[in-house]
Amino acid sequence: MPAALRPPYHWHRRMTRQGYAAAVLLVAAVLPVVGVYVFFVEKDVHRPSAEGAAASAWTDSAQFEYPVADGDACGPASRRGEDVLKWAAALGARVHPHLAVASVDFPSGGDGERGLVASKAIRDGTVLVVCPHALHMSVTFLRNSSALRDVYDFLDQNDIVHSSLFGLAFLLLHEARNTSSFWRSYLCALPRHPASAFLVPPAQRDNLRRQLPPDQWWRFDREVQRQLSRSGALHRALRDYLGRFPARFRLEDYSLPRIKWALAIIASRAFSTFDVSLRVPVHTLVPCIDLPNHDAAGRPVRETFGGDMELLAHTSLEPGSA
């Protein structure tokens, strides 16, 4: 189709839900809650359920490790959302002037977290945030990095889903250990305790499982096992490859507990964006666009043909509403 006739946008679903169409309701109920939904090209809609938000209170820090270096220097937790918006705006992001970051409680309870709220009335469908492609985190950066391209090549086993997922997890951990990272403000704002069913202790995981209809338990078990298996596979791959270069990489920076944290962050926040050079969708973390992930009701997100990501108001917003 000629470029002039193309629609100006296409709607994207989140990459981490892409392969599990038969288990969408299950995953939405028990895996990490993301308050951002995206319209499928086929006009399907993914809406994470409110019950999953409670998982944040169940995550066990013994199951994972927060990897951001010198986290205490990130500043007060109450300011990190604002810091991300300021950082992004300085690099070309556009934020609606009637938006603010405030503490927002989970609909189903829990401790709440920082999220976007309206400071003045905003009409339904208004573009709230535009994040330029240059700020996105994905294997696109890894593949274009002369210092890290070899790691991507090693992880790429002719399976783009896994090289995309594992490559982003490696990049996330690599940048988290770098206090001068380009994404430092964004990394500082990521949650210490990502809500994910595979991070909770077995007893609490069983309680989550029992909230589902019995005929869906096997799907829950399969998804949890899949996440645990991926964590182990990536840990073994990085240990085998990075261990060859002790002067470049410290293996403790890529420990299994830290890999679990990274995969949980990706599972709960990543989108699917199109990599032009690979000509396939890849897992992508998009600063600012994922700020509303406290809300299970969801938010529409669209990717422009230029590669930028836009967050839209899902309804007319009154002052103070999220």
Side-chain angles (χ1 to χ4, degrees):
M1 180 182 296
L5 299 181
R6 292 176 184 168
Y9 305 101
H10 52 283
W11 300 92
H12 276 271
R13 56 184 170 181
R14 293 176 55 245
M15 167 66 82
T16 51
R17 301 292 179 242
Q18 188 164 291
Y20 315 131
V24 166
L25 293 178
L26 163 74
V27 173
V30 297
L31 290 183
V33 167
V34 178
V36 177
Y37 74 84
V38 293
F39 286 107
F40 288 24
V41 173
E42 302 83 3
K43 302 186 185 303
D44 295 329
V45 177
H46 168 61
R47 299 174 185 267
S49 75
E51 287 79 10
S56 64
W58 297 57
T59 52
D60 180 8
S61 58
Q63 306 292 320
F64 64 93
E65 181 181 353
Y66 178 69
V68 176
D70 200 9
D72 292 340
C74 287
S78 60
R79 292 290 309 170
R80 292 175 189 174
E82 291 91 333
D83 290 344
V84 172
L85 291 180
K86 290 178 181 178
W87 164 78
L91 295 171
R94 300 193 299 277
V95 181
H96 194 282
H98 296 169
L99 277 184
V101 178
S103 179
V104 181
D105 292 331
F106 285 124
S108 60
D111 297 331
E113 61 179 56
R114 307 293 286 178
L116 291 175
V117 299
S119 59
K120 295 183 179 180
I122 299 176
R123 295 179 60 183
D124 181 16
T126 299
V127 175
L128 301 177
V129 181
V130 180
C131 182
H133 180 264
L135 304 188
H136 301 181
M137 285 189 80
S138 74
V139 291
T140 301
F141 176 88
L142 199 61
R143 293 177 69 253
N144 293 331
S145 169
S146 58
L148 300 175
R149 172 63 190 255
D150 63 310
V151 181
Y152 171 82
D153 290 339
F154 175 78
L155 293 174
D156 185 8
Q157 302 293 329
N158 298 317
D159 181 349
I160 189 59
V161 172
H162 282 85
S163 59
S164 163
L165 173 64
F166 288 176
L168 178 56
F170 165 77
L171 178 62
L172 182 57
L173 291 176
H174 183 271
E175 294 301 306
R177 302 307 299 163
N178 178 11
T179 56
S180 60
S181 169
F182 171 76
W183 290 283
R184 174 69 174 176
S185 295
Y186 175 64
L187 296 167
C188 281
L190 291 175
R192 290 175 177 263
H193 301 275
S196 186
F198 85 102
L199 296 184
V200 303
Q204 284 88 340
R205 187 185 304 153
D206 188 59
N207 288 336
L208 286 175
R209 181 176 179 265
R210 292 179 183 278
Q211 295 177 21
L212 298 169
D215 63 351
Q216 294 184 9
W217 288 358
W218 70 272
R219 289 175 174 168
F220 173 85
D221 294 339
R222 182 183 66 177
E223 185 61 30
V224 168
Q225 187 56 50
R226 179 178 289 163
Q227 294 283 17
L228 292 172
S229 296
R230 286 174 172 171
S231 300
L234 179 55
H235 179 240
R236 290 189 296 273
L238 291 180
R239 180 188 61 198
D240 293 346
Y241 185 72
L242 303 184
R244 306 173 192 175
F245 309 101
R248 292 175 59 196
F249 305 104
R250 300 193 319 160
L251 288 182
E252 56 266 35
D253 290 344
Y254 308 92
S255 65
L256 181 58
R258 289 180 175 179
I259 286 172
K260 288 182 178 180
W261 178 90
L263 290 179
I265 289 292
I266 294 170
S268 62
R269 309 179 86 86
F271 297 91
S272 169
T273 63
F274 191 76
D275 185 296
V276 176
S277 58
L278 291 174
R279 300 187 64 81
V280 293
V282 295
H283 297 75
T284 306
L285 292 171
V286 187
C288 303
I289 299 295
D290 61 5
L291 269 173
N293 78 333
H294 59 275
D295 183 5
R299 296 290 184 272
V301 175
R302 66 189 181 191
E303 183 182 10
T304 72
F305 277 99
D308 298 344
M309 194 75 86
E310 296 182 345
L311 172 68
L312 284 75
H314 64 301
T315 185
S316 294
L317 301 176
E318 297 300 323
S321 59

